[in-house]
Amino acid sequence: MEDTLPTLDHRTWLLAPLLCLGLNLSGCAIFGGAGDPPQRPSDACAIFDEKEDWYPAARAAEKRWGVPIALQLAFIKQESAFVADARPPRGKFLGIIPTSRPSNAYGYGQALDGTWEGYIRATGNRGADRDDFDDVTDFIGWYCTVSHKRLGLAKNDAYNQYLAYHEGQGGYSRRTYEKKAWLVKVARKVEAQAQAYQTQLARCSEQLEEKNDSWW
């Protein structure tokens, strides 16, 4: 097929990054792939090496809420595979026709509309977006802190914190997860991933902190 896209001259290419910055267009990822998931999502050091602005965000959330970076990453990996605009897949009528989505979950952390609104009210972070990594790490820190206060869950307990994250604090207190063997299995997977991330971060924490200091 003939390429019908307009040719960009050198001035347009020079202006493109400025246009992306000023307009905050998600489509501008075509110029640098900034919105793409990390290439090695199971390696925390590789994630932060590729996405250099993610470590300052995760570290800030850890400092503010006391929720480990490894847990934050494990939640995001499980919920969205680091896809910024992830949504639950649509159902299919007769196995063919797309139907509605099972929930309004969206973004890196797959937060529901109501839960996200609760976070904004509680923190005053009115410009927060579910497809913004900085905001989602802060959201996870906040949510796990609420679970810590209401349910007594340790902030580094990835297994139980994930169950509360998935079921809600009310559902967790009613132990709804006990009837969901698949969810318990997923929570163990998240726990194992958080432990792996923690081990990896121990290897590169010094370099990451040096970069973080220079970033700020």
Side-chain angles (χ1 to χ4, degrees):
M1 181 182 294
E2 183 179 356
D3 186 357
T4 59
L5 291 175
T7 302
L8 300 179
D9 63 22
H10 71 282
R11 291 170 297 177
T12 306
W13 283 108
L14 289 173
L15 288 172
L18 296 177
L19 291 171
C20 289
L21 181 62
L23 297 177
N24 193 26
L25 295 174
S26 59
C28 285
I30 190 172
F31 292 103
D36 296 337
Q39 295 181 15
R40 297 168 60 190
S42 295
D43 187 326
C45 297
I47 289 172
F48 291 133
D49 184 56
E50 180 181 349
K51 308 285 188 179
E52 294 186 347
D53 57 332
W54 281 13
Y55 183 76
R59 186 74 173 99
E62 182 181 57
K63 287 183 176 180
R64 182 180 186 185
W65 303 107
V67 174
I69 293 173
L71 183 148
Q72 299 171 37
L73 291 180
F75 275 31
I76 293 173
K77 182 176 185 290
Q78 177 59 43
E79 292 298 287
S80 68
F82 297 101
V83 175
D85 59 353
R87 294 181 186 273
R90 294 182 181 276
K92 289 188 176 181
F93 178 66
L94 299 178
I96 301 174
I97 305 171
T99 60
S100 61
R101 300 182 192 278
S103 76
N104 55 36
Y106 176 73
Y108 283 114
Q110 290 297 281
L112 298 172
D113 290 352
T115 309
W116 191 258
E117 291 165 4
Y119 159 72
I120 291 175
R121 287 195 301 270
T123 61
N125 190 8
R126 299 192 181 280
D129 294 312
R130 286 176 284 178
D131 54 7
D132 187 315
F133 187 86
D134 296 44
D135 293 328
V136 173
T137 55
D138 193 71
F139 167 77
I140 292 172
W142 167 79
Y143 195 93
C144 290
T145 297
V146 174
S147 295
H148 169 70
K149 292 178 178 178
R150 292 184 181 177
L151 305 171
L153 303 181
K155 294 183 179 181
N156 63 352
D157 183 351
Y159 172 74
N160 284 291
Q161 284 282 5
Y162 183 77
L163 290 174
Y165 188 86
H166 190 279
E167 297 295 274
Q169 282 105 14
Y172 182 90
S173 64
R174 295 191 301 273
R175 306 178 74 86
T176 55
Y177 56 88
E178 290 184 345
K179 296 181 180 180
K180 301 176 181 179
W182 63 269
L183 177 58
V184 171
K185 187 175 182 179
V186 170
R188 289 300 181 195
K189 178 182 176 183
V190 172
E191 179 184 41
Q193 184 63 75
Q195 292 171 349
Y197 280 147
Q198 191 63 45
T199 299
Q200 293 160 2
L201 287 170
R203 297 199 310 265
C204 59
S205 60
E206 186 174 344
Q207 299 96 311
L208 289 171
E209 282 300 307
E210 289 177 357
K211 287 184 178 180
N212 190 49
D213 292 340
S214 63
W215 175 274
W216 291 110

mmCIF file of all heavy atoms in Angstrom, residues 124-170:
data_model
loop_
_atom_site.group_PDB
_atom_site.id
_atom_site.type_symbol
_atom_site.label_atom_id
_atom_site.label_comp_id
_atom_site.label_asym_id
_atom_site.label_seq_id
_atom_site.Cartn_x
_atom_site.Cartn_y
_atom_site.Cartn_z
ATOM 1 N N GLY A 124 -5.757 14.586 48.268
ATOM 2 C CA GLY A 124 -5.779 15.899 47.633
ATOM 3 C C GLY A 124 -5.010 15.957 46.329
ATOM 4 O O GLY A 124 -4.786 17.036 45.784
ATOM 5 N N ASN A 125 -4.637 14.806 45.810
ATOM 6 C CA ASN A 125 -3.873 14.740 44.562
ATOM 7 C C ASN A 125 -4.835 14.821 43.373
ATOM 8 O O ASN A 125 -5.068 13.850 42.653
ATOM 9 C CB ASN A 125 -3.060 13.444 44.512
ATOM 10 C CG ASN A 125 -2.070 13.408 43.366
ATOM 11 O OD1 ASN A 125 -1.858 14.410 42.672
ATOM 12 N ND2 ASN A 125 -1.452 12.252 43.156
ATOM 13 N N ARG A 126 -5.396 16.003 43.148
ATOM 14 C CA ARG A 126 -6.496 16.162 42.206
ATOM 15 C C ARG A 126 -6.098 15.960 40.750
ATOM 16 O O ARG A 126 -6.937 15.693 39.907
ATOM 17 C CB ARG A 126 -7.134 17.541 42.397
ATOM 18 C CG ARG A 126 -7.697 17.734 43.790
ATOM 19 C CD ARG A 126 -8.576 18.953 43.909
ATOM 20 N NE ARG A 126 -9.065 19.086 45.279
ATOM 21 C CZ ARG A 126 -10.076 18.408 45.791
ATOM 22 N NH1 ARG A 126 -10.704 17.520 45.030
ATOM 23 N NH2 ARG A 126 -10.460 18.569 47.039
ATOM 24 N N GLY A 127 -4.851 16.109 40.428
ATOM 25 C CA GLY A 127 -4.423 15.908 39.052
ATOM 26 C C GLY A 127 -3.968 14.498 38.761
ATOM 27 O O GLY A 127 -3.436 14.227 37.686
ATOM 28 N N ALA A 128 -4.193 13.575 39.684
ATOM 29 C CA ALA A 128 -3.700 12.208 39.541
ATOM 30 C C ALA A 128 -4.408 11.474 38.412
ATOM 31 O O ALA A 128 -5.620 11.620 38.214
ATOM 32 C CB ALA A 128 -3.875 11.440 40.844
ATOM 33 N N ASP A 129 -3.643 10.670 37.679
ATOM 34 C CA ASP A 129 -4.178 9.868 36.582
ATOM 35 C C ASP A 129 -3.764 8.411 36.750
ATOM 36 O O ASP A 129 -2.626 8.116 37.129
ATOM 37 C CB ASP A 129 -3.658 10.376 35.234
ATOM 38 C CG ASP A 129 -4.167 11.769 34.906
ATOM 39 O OD1 ASP A 129 -5.390 11.992 35.037
ATOM 40 O OD2 ASP A 129 -3.347 12.623 34.536
ATOM 41 N N ARG A 130 -4.662 7.517 36.406
ATOM 42 C CA ARG A 130 -4.374 6.089 36.563
ATOM 43 C C ARG A 130 -3.386 5.564 35.526
ATOM 44 O O ARG A 130 -2.874 4.444 35.681
ATOM 45 C CB ARG A 130 -5.685 5.290 36.492
ATOM 46 C CG ARG A 130 -6.529 5.431 37.744
ATOM 47 C CD ARG A 130 -7.856 4.722 37.629
ATOM 48 N NE ARG A 130 -8.796 5.450 36.790
ATOM 49 C CZ ARG A 130 -10.024 5.022 36.499
ATOM 50 N NH1 ARG A 130 -10.436 3.853 36.955
ATOM 51 N NH2 ARG A 130 -10.825 5.749 35.744
ATOM 52 N N ASP A 131 -3.129 6.337 34.478
ATOM 53 C CA ASP A 131 -2.135 5.912 33.494
ATOM 54 C C ASP A 131 -0.813 6.648 33.678
ATOM 55 O O ASP A 131 0.021 6.675 32.767
ATOM 56 C CB ASP A 131 -2.657 6.098 32.066
ATOM 57 C CG ASP A 131 -3.135 7.519 31.797
ATOM 58 O OD1 ASP A 131 -2.944 8.398 32.661
ATOM 59 O OD2 ASP A 131 -3.709 7.754 30.711
ATOM 60 N N ASP A 132 -0.623 7.242 34.843
ATOM 61 C CA ASP A 132 0.618 7.929 35.195
ATOM 62 C C ASP A 132 1.343 7.100 36.259
ATOM 63 O O ASP A 132 0.817 6.890 37.354
ATOM 64 C CB ASP A 132 0.306 9.325 35.734
ATOM 65 C CG ASP A 132 1.547 10.164 35.956
ATOM 66 O OD1 ASP A 132 2.530 9.637 36.525
ATOM 67 O OD2 ASP A 132 1.546 11.352 35.578
ATOM 68 N N PHE A 133 2.538 6.621 35.940
ATOM 69 C CA PHE A 133 3.267 5.740 36.846
ATOM 70 C C PHE A 133 3.497 6.398 38.202
ATOM 71 O O PHE A 133 3.354 5.746 39.246
ATOM 72 C CB PHE A 133 4.611 5.332 36.217
ATOM 73 C CG PHE A 133 5.358 4.298 37.002
ATOM 74 C CD1 PHE A 133 5.103 2.944 36.815
ATOM 75 C CD2 PHE A 133 6.328 4.664 37.926
ATOM 76 C CE1 PHE A 133 5.793 1.977 37.543
ATOM 77 C CE2 PHE A 133 7.031 3.703 38.651
ATOM 78 C CZ PHE A 133 6.756 2.363 38.460
ATOM 79 N N ASP A 134 3.841 7.683 38.213
ATOM 80 C CA ASP A 134 4.075 8.391 39.467
ATOM 81 C C ASP A 134 2.850 8.326 40.374
ATOM 82 O O ASP A 134 2.957 8.039 41.574
ATOM 83 C CB ASP A 134 4.404 9.868 39.198
ATOM 84 C CG ASP A 134 5.688 10.053 38.426
ATOM 85 O OD1 ASP A 134 5.905 9.309 37.449
ATOM 86 O OD2 ASP A 134 6.473 10.936 38.787
ATOM 87 N N ASP A 135 1.688 8.606 39.801
ATOM 88 C CA ASP A 135 0.463 8.632 40.591
ATOM 89 C C ASP A 135 0.074 7.237 41.070
ATOM 90 O O ASP A 135 -0.434 7.067 42.190
ATOM 91 C CB ASP A 135 -0.678 9.237 39.773
ATOM 92 C CG ASP A 135 -0.464 10.715 39.486
ATOM 93 O OD1 ASP A 135 0.149 11.404 40.324
ATOM 94 O OD2 ASP A 135 -0.893 11.177 38.408
ATOM 95 N N VAL A 136 0.295 6.239 40.244
ATOM 96 C CA VAL A 136 -0.106 4.879 40.613
ATOM 97 C C VAL A 136 0.770 4.321 41.724
ATOM 98 O O VAL A 136 0.267 3.630 42.623
ATOM 99 C CB VAL A 136 -0.113 3.951 39.381
ATOM 100 C CG1 VAL A 136 -0.365 2.506 39.791
ATOM 101 C CG2 VAL A 136 -1.182 4.408 38.393
ATOM 102 N N THR A 137 2.061 4.606 41.713
ATOM 103 C CA THR A 137 2.902 4.146 42.820
ATOM 104 C C THR A 137 2.452 4.800 44.125
ATOM 105 O O THR A 137 2.418 4.151 45.178
ATOM 106 C CB THR A 137 4.387 4.444 42.565
ATOM 107 O OG1 THR A 137 4.566 5.840 42.286
ATOM 108 C CG2 THR A 137 4.925 3.622 41.413
ATOM 109 N N ASP A 138 2.085 6.077 44.050
ATOM 110 C CA ASP A 138 1.585 6.757 45.250
ATOM 111 C C ASP A 138 0.255 6.162 45.683
ATOM 112 O O ASP A 138 -0.001 5.986 46.884
ATOM 113 C CB ASP A 138 1.431 8.254 44.970
ATOM 114 C CG ASP A 138 1.225 9.057 46.250
ATOM 115 O OD1 ASP A 138 2.192 9.183 47.025
ATOM 116 O OD2 ASP A 138 0.104 9.546 46.478
ATOM 117 N N PHE A 139 -0.601 5.830 44.728
ATOM 118 C CA PHE A 139 -1.892 5.210 45.030
ATOM 119 C C PHE A 139 -1.704 3.871 45.742
ATOM 120 O O PHE A 139 -2.375 3.585 46.751
ATOM 121 C CB PHE A 139 -2.683 5.007 43.735
ATOM 122 C CG PHE A 139 -3.879 4.103 43.880
ATOM 123 C CD1 PHE A 139 -5.044 4.565 44.465
ATOM 124 C CD2 PHE A 139 -3.824 2.794 43.423
ATOM 125 C CE1 PHE A 139 -6.146 3.731 44.610
ATOM 126 C CE2 PHE A 139 -4.923 1.958 43.560
ATOM 127 C CZ PHE A 139 -6.090 2.422 44.149
ATOM 128 N N ILE A 140 -0.797 3.050 45.239
ATOM 129 C CA ILE A 140 -0.552 1.749 45.863
ATOM 130 C C ILE A 140 -0.030 1.943 47.283
ATOM 131 O O ILE A 140 -0.443 1.228 48.218
ATOM 132 C CB ILE A 140 0.432 0.914 45.020
ATOM 133 C CG1 ILE A 140 -0.237 0.508 43.696
ATOM 134 C CG2 ILE A 140 0.902 -0.325 45.780
ATOM 135 C CD1 ILE A 140 0.704 -0.147 42.708
ATOM 136 N N GLY A 141 0.869 2.908 47.464
ATOM 137 C CA GLY A 141 1.367 3.194 48.800
ATOM 138 C C GLY A 141 0.248 3.602 49.735
ATOM 139 O O GLY A 141 0.179 3.133 50.892
ATOM 140 N N TRP A 142 -0.639 4.471 49.253
ATOM 141 C CA TRP A 142 -1.783 4.918 50.057
ATOM 142 C C TRP A 142 -2.703 3.749 50.381
ATOM 143 O O TRP A 142 -3.116 3.578 51.544
ATOM 144 C CB TRP A 142 -2.548 5.995 49.291
ATOM 145 C CG TRP A 142 -3.896 6.298 49.880
ATOM 146 C CD1 TRP A 142 -4.158 7.069 50.976
ATOM 147 C CD2 TRP A 142 -5.166 5.808 49.413
ATOM 148 N NE1 TRP A 142 -5.520 7.098 51.216
ATOM 149 C CE2 TRP A 142 -6.160 6.331 50.269
ATOM 150 C CE3 TRP A 142 -5.555 4.994 48.346
ATOM 151 C CZ2 TRP A 142 -7.514 6.059 50.101
ATOM 152 C CZ3 TRP A 142 -6.904 4.721 48.182
ATOM 153 C CH2 TRP A 142 -7.870 5.242 49.054
ATOM 154 N N TYR A 143 -3.044 2.943 49.382
ATOM 155 C CA TYR A 143 -3.993 1.856 49.589
ATOM 156 C C TYR A 143 -3.457 0.844 50.608
ATOM 157 O O TYR A 143 -4.185 0.400 51.502
ATOM 158 C CB TYR A 143 -4.301 1.153 48.270
ATOM 159 C CG TYR A 143 -5.530 0.273 48.362
ATOM 160 C CD1 TYR A 143 -6.783 0.766 48.017
ATOM 161 C CD2 TYR A 143 -5.439 -1.035 48.817
ATOM 162 C CE1 TYR A 143 -7.916 -0.030 48.126
ATOM 163 C CE2 TYR A 143 -6.556 -1.832 48.938
ATOM 164 C CZ TYR A 143 -7.798 -1.329 48.586
ATOM 165 O OH TYR A 143 -8.917 -2.123 48.711
ATOM 166 N N CYS A 144 -2.190 0.496 50.469
ATOM 167 C CA CYS A 144 -1.604 -0.470 51.403
ATOM 168 C C CYS A 144 -1.507 0.110 52.817
ATOM 169 O O CYS A 144 -1.600 -0.627 53.801
ATOM 170 C CB CYS A 144 -0.223 -0.904 50.907
ATOM 171 S SG CYS A 144 -0.276 -1.933 49.415
ATOM 172 N N THR A 145 -1.345 1.417 52.908
ATOM 173 C CA THR A 145 -1.325 2.065 54.222
ATOM 174 C C THR A 145 -2.705 1.999 54.866
ATOM 175 O O THR A 145 -2.836 1.757 56.074
ATOM 176 C CB THR A 145 -0.865 3.524 54.086
ATOM 177 O OG1 THR A 145 0.471 3.542 53.590
ATOM 178 C CG2 THR A 145 -0.904 4.244 55.438
ATOM 179 N N VAL A 146 -3.754 2.202 54.068
ATOM 180 C CA VAL A 146 -5.119 2.066 54.583
ATOM 181 C C VAL A 146 -5.360 0.633 55.053
ATOM 182 O O VAL A 146 -5.954 0.398 56.119
ATOM 183 C CB VAL A 146 -6.146 2.465 53.509
ATOM 184 C CG1 VAL A 146 -7.569 2.186 53.992
ATOM 185 C CG2 VAL A 146 -6.005 3.945 53.154
ATOM 186 N N SER A 147 -4.900 -0.349 54.267
ATOM 187 C CA SER A 147 -5.046 -1.756 54.664
ATOM 188 C C SER A 147 -4.267 -2.047 55.937
ATOM 189 O O SER A 147 -4.711 -2.842 56.780
ATOM 190 C CB SER A 147 -4.577 -2.675 53.531
ATOM 191 O OG SER A 147 -5.404 -2.548 52.394
ATOM 192 N N HIS A 148 -3.126 -1.403 56.082
ATOM 193 C CA HIS A 148 -2.322 -1.567 57.294
ATOM 194 C C HIS A 148 -3.094 -1.042 58.512
ATOM 195 O O HIS A 148 -3.133 -1.698 59.572
ATOM 196 C CB HIS A 148 -1.005 -0.810 57.136
ATOM 197 C CG HIS A 148 -0.210 -0.683 58.386
ATOM 198 N ND1 HIS A 148 0.416 -1.754 58.984
ATOM 199 C CD2 HIS A 148 0.061 0.402 59.164
ATOM 200 C CE1 HIS A 148 1.044 -1.345 60.077
ATOM 201 N NE2 HIS A 148 0.830 -0.047 60.210
ATOM 202 N N LYS A 149 -3.718 0.113 58.368
ATOM 203 C CA LYS A 149 -4.436 0.727 59.492
ATOM 204 C C LYS A 149 -5.734 -0.004 59.806
ATOM 205 O O LYS A 149 -6.075 -0.210 60.970
ATOM 206 C CB LYS A 149 -4.726 2.197 59.177
ATOM 207 C CG LYS A 149 -3.479 3.071 59.119
ATOM 208 C CD LYS A 149 -3.821 4.512 58.761
ATOM 209 C CE LYS A 149 -2.587 5.391 58.742
ATOM 210 N NZ LYS A 149 -2.905 6.793 58.344
ATOM 211 N N ARG A 150 -6.471 -0.401 58.774
ATOM 212 C CA ARG A 150 -7.777 -1.023 58.992
ATOM 213 C C ARG A 150 -7.702 -2.512 59.306
ATOM 214 O O ARG A 150 -8.511 -3.034 60.079
ATOM 215 C CB ARG A 150 -8.652 -0.824 57.751
ATOM 216 C CG ARG A 150 -9.060 0.616 57.495
ATOM 217 C CD ARG A 150 -10.007 0.696 56.308
ATOM 218 N NE ARG A 150 -10.403 2.069 56.020
ATOM 219 C CZ ARG A 150 -11.181 2.427 55.008
ATOM 220 N NH1 ARG A 150 -11.648 1.500 54.176
ATOM 221 N NH2 ARG A 150 -11.493 3.690 54.824
ATOM 222 N N LEU A 151 -6.747 -3.184 58.685
ATOM 223 C CA LEU A 151 -6.686 -4.642 58.783
ATOM 224 C C LEU A 151 -5.478 -5.165 59.537
ATOM 225 O O LEU A 151 -5.379 -6.360 59.795
ATOM 226 C CB LEU A 151 -6.699 -5.253 57.374
ATOM 227 C CG LEU A 151 -7.863 -4.836 56.473
ATOM 228 C CD1 LEU A 151 -7.635 -5.332 55.053
ATOM 229 C CD2 LEU A 151 -9.184 -5.356 57.015
ATOM 230 N N GLY A 152 -4.549 -4.265 59.852
ATOM 231 C CA GLY A 152 -3.347 -4.693 60.561
ATOM 232 C C GLY A 152 -2.343 -5.414 59.693
ATOM 233 O O GLY A 152 -1.478 -6.127 60.218
ATOM 234 N N LEU A 153 -2.422 -5.225 58.384
ATOM 235 C CA LEU A 153 -1.502 -5.915 57.477
ATOM 236 C C LEU A 153 -0.163 -5.174 57.426
ATOM 237 O O LEU A 153 -0.131 -3.952 57.276
ATOM 238 C CB LEU A 153 -2.087 -5.984 56.060
ATOM 239 C CG LEU A 153 -3.460 -6.651 55.921
ATOM 240 C CD1 LEU A 153 -3.882 -6.670 54.458
ATOM 241 C CD2 LEU A 153 -3.442 -8.059 56.497
ATOM 242 N N ALA A 154 0.922 -5.921 57.510
ATOM 243 C CA ALA A 154 2.248 -5.316 57.383
ATOM 244 C C ALA A 154 2.396 -4.730 55.988
ATOM 245 O O ALA A 154 1.904 -5.300 55.007
ATOM 246 C CB ALA A 154 3.335 -6.358 57.636
ATOM 247 N N LYS A 155 3.076 -3.607 55.898
ATOM 248 C CA LYS A 155 3.197 -2.930 54.604
ATOM 249 C C LYS A 155 4.082 -3.687 53.619
ATOM 250 O O LYS A 155 4.031 -3.421 52.426
ATOM 251 C CB LYS A 155 3.724 -1.507 54.815
ATOM 252 C CG LYS A 155 2.746 -0.618 55.559
ATOM 253 C CD LYS A 155 3.260 0.797 55.686
ATOM 254 C CE LYS A 155 2.265 1.680 56.421
ATOM 255 N NZ LYS A 155 2.747 3.086 56.529
ATOM 256 N N ASN A 156 4.883 -4.613 54.107
ATOM 257 C CA ASN A 156 5.720 -5.414 53.213
ATOM 258 C C ASN A 156 5.160 -6.818 52.998
ATOM 259 O O ASN A 156 5.831 -7.682 52.431
ATOM 260 C CB ASN A 156 7.149 -5.492 53.755
ATOM 261 C CG ASN A 156 7.222 -6.191 55.106
ATOM 262 O OD1 ASN A 156 6.194 -6.488 55.723
ATOM 263 N ND2 ASN A 156 8.430 -6.458 55.574
ATOM 264 N N ASP A 157 3.936 -7.052 53.434
ATOM 265 C CA ASP A 157 3.281 -8.359 53.278
ATOM 266 C C ASP A 157 2.566 -8.383 51.931
ATOM 267 O O ASP A 157 1.366 -8.112 51.830
ATOM 268 C CB ASP A 157 2.294 -8.572 54.425
ATOM 269 C CG ASP A 157 1.618 -9.943 54.381
ATOM 270 O OD1 ASP A 157 1.775 -10.667 53.365
ATOM 271 O OD2 ASP A 157 0.901 -10.279 55.355
ATOM 272 N N ALA A 158 3.307 -8.716 50.888
ATOM 273 C CA ALA A 158 2.754 -8.650 49.534
ATOM 274 C C ALA A 158 1.562 -9.588 49.356
ATOM 275 O O ALA A 158 0.598 -9.241 48.656
ATOM 276 C CB ALA A 158 3.843 -8.973 48.509
ATOM 277 N N TYR A 159 1.599 -10.745 49.984
ATOM 278 C CA TYR A 159 0.527 -11.729 49.819
ATOM 279 C C TYR A 159 -0.816 -11.195 50.329
ATOM 280 O O TYR A 159 -1.791 -11.101 49.582
ATOM 281 C CB TYR A 159 0.899 -13.022 50.544
ATOM 282 C CG TYR A 159 -0.220 -14.037 50.602
ATOM 283 C CD1 TYR A 159 -0.591 -14.761 49.466
ATOM 284 C CD2 TYR A 159 -0.909 -14.275 51.797
ATOM 285 C CE1 TYR A 159 -1.629 -15.688 49.519
ATOM 286 C CE2 TYR A 159 -1.941 -15.200 51.857
ATOM 287 C CZ TYR A 159 -2.296 -15.899 50.717
ATOM 288 O OH TYR A 159 -3.323 -16.815 50.769
ATOM 289 N N ASN A 160 -0.861 -10.826 51.588
ATOM 290 C CA ASN A 160 -2.120 -10.352 52.164
ATOM 291 C C ASN A 160 -2.510 -8.971 51.652
ATOM 292 O O ASN A 160 -3.698 -8.675 51.480
ATOM 293 C CB ASN A 160 -2.038 -10.363 53.692
ATOM 294 C CG ASN A 160 -2.150 -11.763 54.267
ATOM 295 O OD1 ASN A 160 -3.207 -12.398 54.212
ATOM 296 N ND2 ASN A 160 -1.052 -12.271 54.792
ATOM 297 N N GLN A 161 -1.509 -8.118 51.415
ATOM 298 C CA GLN A 161 -1.824 -6.811 50.873
ATOM 299 C C GLN A 161 -2.464 -6.933 49.489
ATOM 300 O O GLN A 161 -3.386 -6.176 49.154
ATOM 301 C CB GLN A 161 -0.562 -5.946 50.789
ATOM 302 C CG GLN A 161 -0.075 -5.381 52.120
ATOM 303 C CD GLN A 161 -0.893 -4.175 52.574
ATOM 304 O OE1 GLN A 161 -1.876 -3.795 51.964
ATOM 305 N NE2 GLN A 161 -0.444 -3.562 53.661
ATOM 306 N N TYR A 162 -2.000 -7.880 48.696
ATOM 307 C CA TYR A 162 -2.599 -8.053 47.370
ATOM 308 C C TYR A 162 -4.031 -8.566 47.473
ATOM 309 O O TYR A 162 -4.903 -8.131 46.717
ATOM 310 C CB TYR A 162 -1.773 -8.991 46.494
ATOM 311 C CG TYR A 162 -2.363 -9.106 45.106
ATOM 312 C CD1 TYR A 162 -2.179 -8.094 44.172
ATOM 313 C CD2 TYR A 162 -3.166 -10.188 44.751
ATOM 314 C CE1 TYR A 162 -2.760 -8.163 42.916
ATOM 315 C CE2 TYR A 162 -3.746 -10.269 43.496
ATOM 316 C CZ TYR A 162 -3.540 -9.253 42.588
ATOM 317 O OH TYR A 162 -4.146 -9.316 41.347
ATOM 318 N N LEU A 163 -4.278 -9.478 48.392
ATOM 319 C CA LEU A 163 -5.639 -9.967 48.578
ATOM 320 C C LEU A 163 -6.575 -8.813 48.952
ATOM 321 O O LEU A 163 -7.693 -8.721 48.441
ATOM 322 C CB LEU A 163 -5.675 -11.049 49.661
ATOM 323 C CG LEU A 163 -5.017 -12.388 49.303
ATOM 324 C CD1 LEU A 163 -5.008 -13.300 50.516
ATOM 325 C CD2 LEU A 163 -5.739 -13.059 48.131
ATOM 326 N N ALA A 164 -6.111 -7.920 49.829
ATOM 327 C CA ALA A 164 -6.918 -6.763 50.215
ATOM 328 C C ALA A 164 -7.065 -5.791 49.054
ATOM 329 O O ALA A 164 -8.103 -5.142 48.895
ATOM 330 C CB ALA A 164 -6.282 -6.068 51.421
ATOM 331 N N TYR A 165 -6.027 -5.679 48.247
ATOM 332 C CA TYR A 165 -6.064 -4.798 47.073
ATOM 333 C C TYR A 165 -7.090 -5.299 46.066
ATOM 334 O O TYR A 165 -7.836 -4.515 45.484
ATOM 335 C CB TYR A 165 -4.668 -4.779 46.445
ATOM 336 C CG TYR A 165 -4.460 -3.774 45.334
ATOM 337 C CD1 TYR A 165 -4.095 -2.463 45.614
ATOM 338 C CD2 TYR A 165 -4.576 -4.144 43.994
ATOM 339 C CE1 TYR A 165 -3.875 -1.542 44.599
ATOM 340 C CE2 TYR A 165 -4.358 -3.233 42.974
ATOM 341 C CZ TYR A 165 -4.000 -1.931 43.281
ATOM 342 O OH TYR A 165 -3.779 -1.015 42.278
ATOM 343 N N HIS A 166 -7.144 -6.586 45.878
ATOM 344 C CA HIS A 166 -8.050 -7.175 44.896
ATOM 345 C C HIS A 166 -9.490 -7.216 45.411
ATOM 346 O O HIS A 166 -10.430 -6.901 44.669
ATOM 347 C CB HIS A 166 -7.597 -8.593 44.538
ATOM 348 C CG HIS A 166 -8.318 -9.198 43.386
ATOM 349 N ND1 HIS A 166 -9.570 -9.780 43.511
ATOM 350 C CD2 HIS A 166 -7.990 -9.297 42.073
ATOM 351 C CE1 HIS A 166 -9.957 -10.223 42.331
ATOM 352 N NE2 HIS A 166 -9.021 -9.945 41.439
ATOM 353 N N GLU A 167 -9.678 -7.616 46.657
ATOM 354 C CA GLU A 167 -11.011 -7.810 47.212
ATOM 355 C C GLU A 167 -11.579 -6.582 47.898
ATOM 356 O O GLU A 167 -12.767 -6.535 48.215
ATOM 357 C CB GLU A 167 -10.979 -8.970 48.215
ATOM 358 C CG GLU A 167 -10.610 -10.310 47.620
ATOM 359 C CD GLU A 167 -11.652 -10.798 46.629
ATOM 360 O OE1 GLU A 167 -12.639 -11.434 47.055
ATOM 361 O OE2 GLU A 167 -11.476 -10.534 45.414
ATOM 362 N N GLY A 168 -10.716 -5.576 48.140
ATOM 363 C CA GLY A 168 -11.141 -4.441 48.944
ATOM 364 C C GLY A 168 -10.976 -4.772 50.415
ATOM 365 O O GLY A 168 -10.975 -5.956 50.794
ATOM 366 N N GLN A 169 -10.834 -3.746 51.255
ATOM 367 C CA GLN A 169 -10.642 -4.025 52.674
ATOM 368 C C GLN A 169 -11.844 -4.742 53.287
ATOM 369 O O GLN A 169 -11.686 -5.617 54.142
ATOM 370 C CB GLN A 169 -10.355 -2.715 53.424
ATOM 371 C CG GLN A 169 -8.929 -2.232 53.262
ATOM 372 C CD GLN A 169 -8.801 -1.064 52.315
ATOM 373 O OE1 GLN A 169 -9.794 -0.430 51.950
ATOM 374 N NE2 GLN A 169 -7.582 -0.767 51.892
ATOM 375 N N GLY A 170 -13.057 -4.386 52.818
ATOM 376 C CA GLY A 170 -14.242 -5.059 53.329
ATOM 377 C C GLY A 170 -14.274 -6.528 52.946
ATOM 378 O O GLY A 170 -14.572 -7.390 53.776
#
